[in-house]
Structures are given as structure tokens and as C-alpha cells.
Amino acid sequence: DAGVTQSPTHLIKTRGQQVTLRCSPKSGHDTVSWYQQALGQGPQFIFQYYEEEERQRGNFPDRFSGHQFPNYSSELNVNALLLGDSALYLCASRRRGGGQETQYFGPGTRLLVL
Amino acid sequence: GENVEQHPSTLSVQEGDSAVIKCTYSDSASNYFPWYKQELGKRPQLIIDIRSNVGEKKDQRIAVTLNKTAKHFSLHITETQPEDSAVYFCAAPFNRDDKIIFGKGTRLHILP
């Protein structure tokens, strides 16, 4: 039973470029959330996808967008990269149930913007 | 607003002693409270969680308590060991569980 996987593990981009990060949820999970974790900080909620739609969004600009595919995998896209976008990007998945289901994190993608 | 406050930001305890980390949340509808441990360079790992229908939950040396009236919950680690050194995050859901917000983290140092 595979856990949450993310790709790539590391990425280096320059300012102004665009980046796409990928996430495959844990088997049986249908809800994917994305978080940005800057060095020394807690994970910051970017948005959540369920049934291929964005359900909730944190305080992130429109440069951050996403997508969820029929197989529940998800992508995070960031346009017009800024130096401040350098961070660990974490994907977390859970199964949407009647009550709160446990959320599990992927290993993250470490993005460096130069 | 959507807020999870976590204290302290740094905690040093002697090996074998207990450590306590506290969090408060703002949404009275929140009903699920996970704690994550993150070691350097690794992903956050769930270590324990509690749901609002119970006041305390234990798992070996780790326990979590919840006070829904006061909207706070705490992580207790007893008989601390060197491998407990890490950053610990509390979290709580908002907007009917669709958004899980994290505290800023507590860096726990276990001193020899």
C-alpha cells in the first residue's frame, strides 16, 4: 500500500519561471491538500481538492493554481516565481468521510527560486 | 479568524523528564486535533490525534488532552528520549473540516 508520493523531490528555478509539482494520494484517499512550508515555519495551507474541484483556499495569490485528476492525483502550479516562493511544498491526502479522517503527508518537493 | 496558537516555540527538557506543548484554536466547530512530528529534512508525521468526543488519549509515552470549552489542547511526552528531539506541530480544522490549519511549531530539544 503506497503512501503519499510527490515529484520531483527537488527543483531549482529562476524568478519569473513557472513550476508544476505533482502528488499521488495514498491508496483509498480522495482529498488532496497542498501546503507551503518555509524554513523554520509551520505548513501554510494553500488549497484543497476534492472531486476535481478546489474546495478551500488559503491566503495565496492567483499565481498558485492546481488541478485534480479523475484518479485523485493532483498538481500544484506556480506562475511568475518569486524568490519568496522558495520553500518545501507538501501534499497531504485523506479520505473524505462522515467525520474527520486522518491526513497523511507526502515527502515534499523542495523548491529553490534563484 | 482561522487561528491556531502554539506555545512554546522552543522547549528544552532533560532526558527522562516530561514535555508539554499547548495549542489554542479559534473555531468552536473544530472537532479533530492532530499532532505531527517533523524531523529535520523530513515530512510531518502524525504521532497522535484526538477527536472532540473524548478528553484525553494516550499512546505509550505520548498523550493528548482536549478542553473544548476553553478551546485548547495539549501534547504530553513522558520519559523523554533523545529521539524525541524534533519540531512538533498541532493542527485544527476550520470551515467544516475542509481546511486544516497548523500552529507555528515547537522545537523540542532533549538534553543529555
Side-chain angles (χ1 to χ4, degrees):
Chain A
D1 177 22
V4 184
T5 61
Q6 291 185 245
S7 63
T9 55
H10 295 81
L11 204 51
I12 299 176
K13 292 285 188 178
T14 56
R15 280 179 298 175
Q17 285 189 311
Q18 178 265 342
V19 68
T20 297
L21 310 181
R22 297 176 177 81
C23 171
S24 290
K26 182 178 168 64
S27 178
H29 288 187
D30 55 11
T31 302
V32 173
S33 298
W34 286 92
Y35 291 84
Q36 180 195 66
Q37 187 177 25
L39 202 60
Q41 302 294 318
Q44 297 289 314
F45 179 84
I46 302 175
F47 43 51
Q48 181 189 87
Y49 277 84
Y50 172 66
E51 292 185 335
E52 303 179 48
E53 290 188 14
E54 183 182 295
R55 298 292 173 167
Q56 289 286 339
R57 190 177 183 91
N59 294 325
F60 280 81
D62 292 345
R63 298 187 297 109
F64 290 77
S65 63
H67 190 77
Q68 186 179 33
F69 299 93
N71 67 352
Y72 309 120
S73 66
S74 177
E75 288 182 350
L76 164 66
N77 301 292
V78 187
N79 294 323
L81 284 167
L82 304 174
L83 296 180
D85 294 332
S86 295
L88 178 67
Y89 288 85
L90 294 161
C91 163
S93 75
R94 67 179 177 96
R95 183 178 64 89
R96 200 177 196 85
Q100 178 61 242
E101 298 291 335
T102 299
Q103 179 170 256
Y104 295 93
F105 282 91
T109 294
R110 192 164 297 279
L111 172 65
L112 178 61
V113 182
L114 300 176
Chain B
E2 299 161 349
N3 196 31
V4 178
E5 296 279 348
Q6 183 173 347
H7 299 281
S9 56
T10 306
L11 179 61
S12 296
V13 301
Q14 211 69 38
E15 183 179 348
D17 287 351
S18 296
V20 180
I21 303 170
K22 299 181 179 182
C23 287
T24 60
Y25 59 97
S26 57
D27 187 350
S28 58
S30 296
N31 60 1
Y32 170 72
F33 307 92
W35 285 91
Y36 288 85
K37 174 184 181 182
Q38 188 174 30
E39 297 176 9
L40 191 62
K42 297 189 176 180
R43 77 186 81 185
Q45 296 271 17
L46 180 76
I47 55 171
I48 195 168
D49 54 20
I50 191 168
R51 300 177 195 278
S52 60
N53 56 345
V54 298
E56 183 176 4
K57 182 177 178 181
K58 285 185 179 179
D59 183 4
Q60 300 181 346
R61 297 186 296 109
I62 294 173
V64 56
T65 58
L66 171 65
N67 183 329
K68 283 222 76 180
T69 303
K71 291 190 283 188
H72 68 70
F73 56 112
S74 300
L75 177 71
H76 305 252
I77 306 174
T78 58
E79 301 172 22
T80 53
Q81 300 170 2
E83 55 264 35
D84 294 331
S85 293
V87 180
Y88 291 81
F89 294 99
C90 62
F94 292 80
N95 292 348
R96 293 172 295 165
D97 302 340
D98 277 349
K99 184 186 294 188
I100 296 181
I101 303 298
F102 282 73
K104 292 187 182 302
T106 295
R107 185 170 297 279
L108 176 62
H109 300 276
I110 305 302
L111 307 173

